[in-house]
Amino acid sequence: MTAVVFPVTETQQEPSEHGRIPGNKGIWVGICCEFLEFLVLFIVYFVARAHFPESFEQGAERLSRLSGTVITLLMVTSSFFIACSVVTMRAGQSRRSLYWLLAGLVVALGYPVAKYFEIQWNLAQGINGESGIFFTVYYYLTFNHLVHTIWGILGILWVLARHLAGGYSAEDYGGLEALASYWHATDMIWLIIFPFFYVLV
Amino acid sequence: MTHTTRAPDNALSPLLVTWLALVVLTLLSLMLSQWLHGAAWLHVLVAAIVWIKGTLIARRFIESERAHPFIRNVLRGFIAFTPIALVLTAFYGPQFARWTTL
């Protein structure tokens, strides 16, 4: 069995022989738990799809593809902005980093707004959680993702407050990078969910 | 095996290129959905796109290639799971359904 050896020090900005930890160890425990939770949900999706292939092919036709696409573009764009915030902070450009983070927050806030309009659209089409197996799985997976996104938005607000208070520097930006890692992981999960419900017809 | 890690990048252009690639791949998957409506090959192409998008985020945004091997492997495993499952359920869906029947 191979032992997992993490570097002992808390500051992870300098690369070591084992590689660096983006952000901090705590956030990666959280991200691993998030991955595990969604892996279970993905298995539920694949089992349901294997049992009811027609329901899944027809169900995807009834959802708003525009909503799914808008959410995807919002997620990848906010992820890009937050990655820029980390890179500019690393380069010592604190003010630019702050602006990128703010832009990431504004775009991220578009997600719950788009989701609200999507649910309204669904209800107007008579689609709810009891409309069939496809929609039950769809609501369960996408609401779960929405919850994780809201945690991420709260995290962005916290990091933004610390950023405004001068809590980060080119030498110490672990908190900002930890938030960025969580947000990228949440973005990655959405990029998997998107084809499940909006592309595979 | 000795793994040498480089210092993290400070350039924004690779991030911009990654973002553009993610947008293009998203739009491509929608177009493929229209063109290959109902075909099993759609699953294979979508699986490839999911893998590429996940890998782009891991490598360019999270900088997984410079990360601790445990993190790198967790990301690789998570990204690989869905494409493999998509292809398997596309071609072996009925067998998978039989195995998972209570």
Side-chain angles (χ1 to χ4, degrees):
Chain A
M1 200 177 91
T2 310
V4 175
V5 182
F6 282 114
V8 177
T9 53
E10 276 301 315
T11 49
Q12 305 295 336
Q13 314 307 343
E14 293 303 319
S16 72
E17 60 176 312
H18 294 297
R20 60 195 294 277
I21 295 178
N24 54 51
K25 292 173 202 168
I27 200 68
W28 280 98
V29 173
I31 290 170
C32 287
C33 291
E34 186 185 26
F35 281 168
L36 200 61
E37 179 192 347
F38 276 94
L39 277 177
V40 172
L41 295 177
F42 293 166
I43 290 168
V44 170
Y45 169 87
F46 284 112
V47 170
R49 189 173 186 111
H51 280 266
F52 306 97
E54 294 85 11
S55 301
F56 278 74
E57 281 159 23
Q58 290 158 11
E61 305 263 21
R62 291 178 62 196
L63 288 177
S64 166
R65 194 167 283 189
L66 176 66
S67 298
T69 308
V70 167
I71 290 171
T72 306
L73 296 178
L74 289 168
M75 281 305 293
V76 296
T77 305
S78 65
S79 216
F80 164 59
F81 287 166
I82 290 173
C84 289
S85 179
V86 172
V87 166
T88 46
M89 175 52 81
R90 187 183 289 154
Q93 299 164 339
S94 181
R95 187 162 286 270
R96 284 181 70 189
S97 167
L98 184 66
Y99 292 151
W100 281 116
L101 185 64
L102 203 55
L105 172 66
V106 170
V107 177
L109 286 171
Y111 180 118
V113 174
K115 184 52 80 180
Y116 170 78
F117 284 114
E118 183 183 10
I119 292 164
Q120 292 302 315
W121 190 88
N122 285 350
L123 293 174
Q125 311 296 315
I127 297 170
N128 58 42
E130 295 175 344
S131 300
I133 181 72
F134 171 82
F135 296 102
T136 304
V137 177
Y138 154 77
Y139 274 118
Y140 198 55
L141 248 171
T142 55
F143 274 155
N144 242 300
H145 189 267
L146 179 65
V147 169
H148 283 259
T149 307
I150 288 168
W151 290 344
I153 289 170
L154 293 173
I156 298 173
L157 286 168
W158 172 251
V159 168
L160 187 66
R162 284 209 65 211
H163 208 317
L164 283 165
Y168 304 118
S169 67
E171 293 75 35
D172 178 14
Y173 56 93
L176 173 63
E177 196 175 33
L179 175 271
S181 297
Y182 176 79
W183 194 249
H184 299 322
T186 309
D187 179 24
M188 194 184 283
I189 292 165
W190 177 260
L191 294 182
I192 293 170
I193 292 174
F194 171 65
F196 281 0
F197 300 109
Y198 304 94
V199 175
L200 292 171
V201 288
Chain B
M1 192 178 86
T2 308
H3 181 80
T4 52
T5 41
R6 291 172 291 149
D9 274 341
N10 287 340
L12 293 184
S13 51
L15 300 179
L16 179 65
V17 171
T18 304
W19 174 75
L20 277 171
L22 291 169
V23 171
V24 169
L25 287 167
T26 300
L27 300 177
L28 178 66
S29 65
L30 289 168
M31 285 191 279
L32 287 171
S33 172
Q34 298 283 343
W35 295 334
L36 298 171
H37 197 279
W41 281 103
L42 174 64
H43 289 246
V44 178
L45 294 172
V46 166
I49 290 174
V50 166
W51 184 81
I52 294 169
K53 285 163 97 174
T55 303
L56 279 173
I57 289 181
R59 287 192 176 204
R60 299 293 181 84
F61 286 175
I62 301 177
E63 300 174 336
S64 63
E65 294 308 296
R66 300 184 185 94
H68 190 281
F70 177 77
I71 291 172
R72 208 159 51 230
N73 291 331
V74 163
L75 287 166
R76 280 180 187 157
F78 183 74
I79 292 164
F81 175 81
T82 297
I84 292 168
L86 271 175
V87 173
L88 289 178
T89 46
F91 292 100
Y92 304 101
Q95 288 96 317
F96 184 55
R98 257 199 320 278
W99 296 337
T100 53
T101 299
L102 291 174

